[in-house]
Amino acid sequence: MTTTNNTGPTVATAPTTTAAPPRTRFPAGFLWGSATAAYQIEGAVREDGRTPSIWDTFSHTPGKVANGDTGDIAVDHYHRWRDDVRLMADLGLTSYRFSVAWPRVQPTGRGPAVQRGLDFYRNLVDELLAHGIKPMATLYHWDLPQELESAGGWPERDTAYRFAEYAGIVGEALGDRVESWVTLNEPWCSAFLGYGSGVHAPGRTDPAAALRAAHHLNLGHGLATSALRATLPARAGIGISLNPSVVRALTDAPADLDAKRRIDALANRVFTGPLLKGAYPEDLIADTARVTDWSFVRDGDTDSIHQPLDFLGMNYYTPAVVSGPRDDQDGPRLDGHGASDHSPWPGADDVVFHHAPGEVTAMNWPVDPTGLTDLLLDYTAQAPGVPLYVTENGAAYEDSVDAEGRVHDPDRIRYLHAHLGAIHEAIAKGADVRGYFLWSLLDNFEWAYGYGKRFGAVYVDYETQARIPKSSASWYSQVARSGGLPADQ
């Protein structure tokens, strides 16, 4: 089945499927969604008033992104959004998590909005609602306006206040039709990959700046939450999407257990401490004392951060296995976050990361769905009464189009089946998980990997922009329509 795209070539749509009776049923009202990020899919980086973000600058810097790829065109979603929403509807999705491009709405990071930029998101949301798809809007998925970075970026306190202003603008524009809001996506990546290891934009390698950025991202979340609550109707829900690390010690040796504690502090508790408990962990401050004195945390900051959450978003791909320093360790850091001579782990750069045995994805990430069950149960205990969403989960594989124009991806189907089974297990054990957002709807610009890694349920031919639903799209469609997992994979 095909539809005509007024802005480009013919686009394949998902085949009609008949859902088999599920073996494992999810709760009524469970959201079956997909997720994307603006810079990864939209393109049109110079249209309708949009100005450069840090990712525009970073991707145009030689040597920063594989093959010199950029998001200039990406998958042209800015022009093909109607067809992409139609694909979601064909798949039977009930929700879609998208991000708003800050420099498309507020080009300098200050001042009034560009209405043409807001209109794009207004139109997108209206189209989603017309197809019965619930929008979940993410305010920040890493595309800081370059002008704010030139003024210091997230290590500077003012950026948190600018983010709150921007949040209020978007909330006022979309609050009458969007009920679910995510302030930040994966602030760990923004802080520690952007300012620590430098493998993400803006590409800085300053461990003290990374810790300052982490705090100001936390503060930005708190201030943005207040701005949204002042603007949105009472029915709206506000949360944050974290990428918690399921940290496992290689052995029970004291050095390995201490490595687990240190990485847990930097990967997880640097955010959940102020978010859920209103304070930064004392051991984190002690571990990083040689990097910073934390004087950037001012009186009242943690109160601003520690606000009631309507939900927590969990992004999960693979666990981390760590040990203390080892004499026999040589080669690249196996933390799954890209190659760099600079560590994203301030105060813990001597911790050694290990690959778990077994299957890996095209990202060389071990496949371990038990980590997702553990994660959901852990956060159920840490934040009792707060609903959870799996706001990202998925896998990259070496997908290709066969002679008949189809894309078969059985490895991804097995991956999704196992991880959805892990979510169901967590629900059975008491986790209040309300929805699942497959990463990603479309193959797209995969950050520093460029277009070399394909996470999508829908294959994109980057030359023609044709969309071809993969076998996993058909499988996921059956799951969404039936509300549960089939008996086989």
Side-chain angles (χ1 to χ4, degrees):
M1 179 180 178
T2 61
T3 62
T4 300
N5 187 323
N6 293 330
T7 60
T10 299
V11 177
T13 61
T16 302
T17 58
T18 302
R23 174 178 62 87
T24 304
R25 188 171 295 280
F26 282 72
F30 191 87
L31 293 181
W32 297 101
S34 64
T36 63
Y39 188 72
Q40 293 182 270
I41 66 168
E42 284 183 2
V45 297
R46 299 175 186 87
E47 293 187 32
D48 293 335
R50 185 190 181 279
T51 57
S53 73
I54 54 174
W55 269 97
D56 293 282
T57 302
F58 187 80
S59 65
H60 279 270
T61 302
K64 295 299 186 182
V65 174
N67 302 312
D69 292 338
T70 75
D72 289 2
I73 299 173
V75 297
D76 199 31
H77 175 73
Y78 191 75
H79 300 116
R80 301 168 189 269
W81 55 274
R82 286 189 178 87
D83 287 322
D84 291 340
V85 173
R86 193 173 302 117
L87 267 175
M88 298 178 219
D90 289 343
L91 291 173
L93 301 188
T94 56
S95 191
Y96 173 55
R97 177 176 169 246
F98 65 94
S99 80
V100 177
W102 190 347
R104 196 178 293 288
V105 168
Q106 199 184 30
T108 66
R110 296 179 173 85
V114 172
Q115 292 304 315
R116 289 170 296 174
L118 285 174
D119 284 345
F120 170 73
Y121 298 106
R122 290 184 179 108
N123 292 334
L124 172 64
V125 167
D126 287 345
E127 190 78 1
L128 290 166
L129 293 173
H131 285 84
I133 299 170
K134 181 180 179 180
M136 178 180 281
T138 299
L139 288 170
Y140 188 72
H141 201 133
W142 308 351
D143 45 4
L144 184 71
Q146 179 58 45
E147 189 162 322
L148 289 183
E149 173 58 27
S150 297
W154 284 109
E156 293 299 319
R157 186 178 184 87
D158 185 62
T159 305
Y161 291 94
R162 302 285 68 75
F163 179 62
E165 179 186 58
Y166 154 73
I169 288 170
V170 180
E172 185 174 354
L174 302 181
D176 61 337
R177 62 201 92 178
V178 175
E179 294 185 3
S180 297
W181 293 81
V182 173
T183 55
L184 304 172
N185 179 79
E186 298 185 356
W188 185 87
C189 294
S190 297
F192 295 102
L193 299 185
Y195 295 94
S197 68
V199 299
H200 278 192
R204 290 162 60 179
T205 54
D206 179 345
L211 290 166
R212 292 199 307 273
H215 174 63
H216 294 139
L217 283 155
N218 282 333
L219 181 60
H221 157 80
L223 296 173
T225 298
S226 295
L228 288 172
R229 290 215 164 101
T231 301
L232 299 177
R235 68 178 184 276
I238 303 169
I240 186 171
S241 285
L242 304 174
N243 58 319
S245 185
V246 178
V247 188
R248 294 168 174 167
L250 183 65
T251 74
D252 288 336
D256 293 357
L257 293 174
D258 189 59
K260 173 184 175 180
R261 179 197 60 76
R262 288 194 285 160
I263 296 302
D264 177 61
L266 285 165
N268 301 324
R269 291 183 285 122
V270 66
F271 299 106
T272 58
L275 281 170
L276 302 180
K277 298 179 180 179
Y280 284 99
E282 292 183 3
D283 63 327
L284 169 69
I285 294 172
D287 289 344
T288 57
R290 63 183 174 86
V291 178
T292 180
D293 63 4
W294 289 81
S295 59
F296 48 81
V297 180
R298 298 183 184 177
D299 290 345
D301 280 4
T302 52
D303 290 337
S304 295
I305 299 165
H306 180 46
Q307 298 193 42
L309 290 165
D310 298 306
F311 64 88
L312 268 170
M314 303 279 103
N315 296 356
Y316 174 82
Y317 294 94
T318 190
V321 179
V322 300
S323 73
R326 297 167 66 94
D327 294 336
D328 60 350
Q329 183 65 25
D330 192 19
R333 186 185 305 106
L334 297 176
D335 62 3
H337 297 299
S340 173
D341 293 334
H342 301 271
S343 173
W345 306 104
D349 48 357
D350 59 341
V351 169
V352 179
F353 288 77
H354 302 265
H355 252 170
E359 179 188 353
V360 297
T361 69
M363 298 290 288
N364 201 32
W365 294 345
V367 177
D368 187 348
T370 67
L372 182 52
T373 303
D374 293 346
L375 177 69
L376 294 170
L377 292 175
D378 180 30
Y379 276 80
T380 295
Q382 287 196 54
V386 178
L388 305 177
Y389 290 91
V390 177
T391 41
E392 283 187 29
N393 174 246
Y397 289 104
E398 301 294 338
D399 303 319
S400 60
V401 183
D402 68 16
E404 296 180 349
R406 298 176 299 186
V407 181
H408 294 290
D409 56 342
D411 290 340
R412 184 173 287 104
I413 292 173
R414 285 193 295 273
Y415 180 100
L416 296 178
H417 193 285
H419 285 77
L420 285 168
I423 295 170
H424 190 273
E425 180 181 349
I427 293 172
K429 292 180 178 180
D432 182 12
V433 186
R434 303 283 181 91
Y436 175 85
F437 292 81
L438 169 65
W439 187 269
S440 176
L441 175 68
L442 303 161
D443 291 337
N444 56 45
F445 177 83
E446 186 48 42
W447 306 115
Y449 295 94
Y451 296 99
K453 305 297 182 184
R454 294 180 177 271
F455 276 86
V458 177
Y459 183 94
V460 178
D461 181 324
Y462 296 125
E463 294 296 322
T464 66
Q465 297 293 347
R467 275 78 159 136
I468 305 172
K470 304 173 188 179
S471 297
S472 59
S474 178
W475 181 89
Y476 188 53
S477 176
Q478 292 181 9
V479 171
R481 293 179 189 280
S482 66
L485 296 176
D488 58 26
Q489 296 182 13

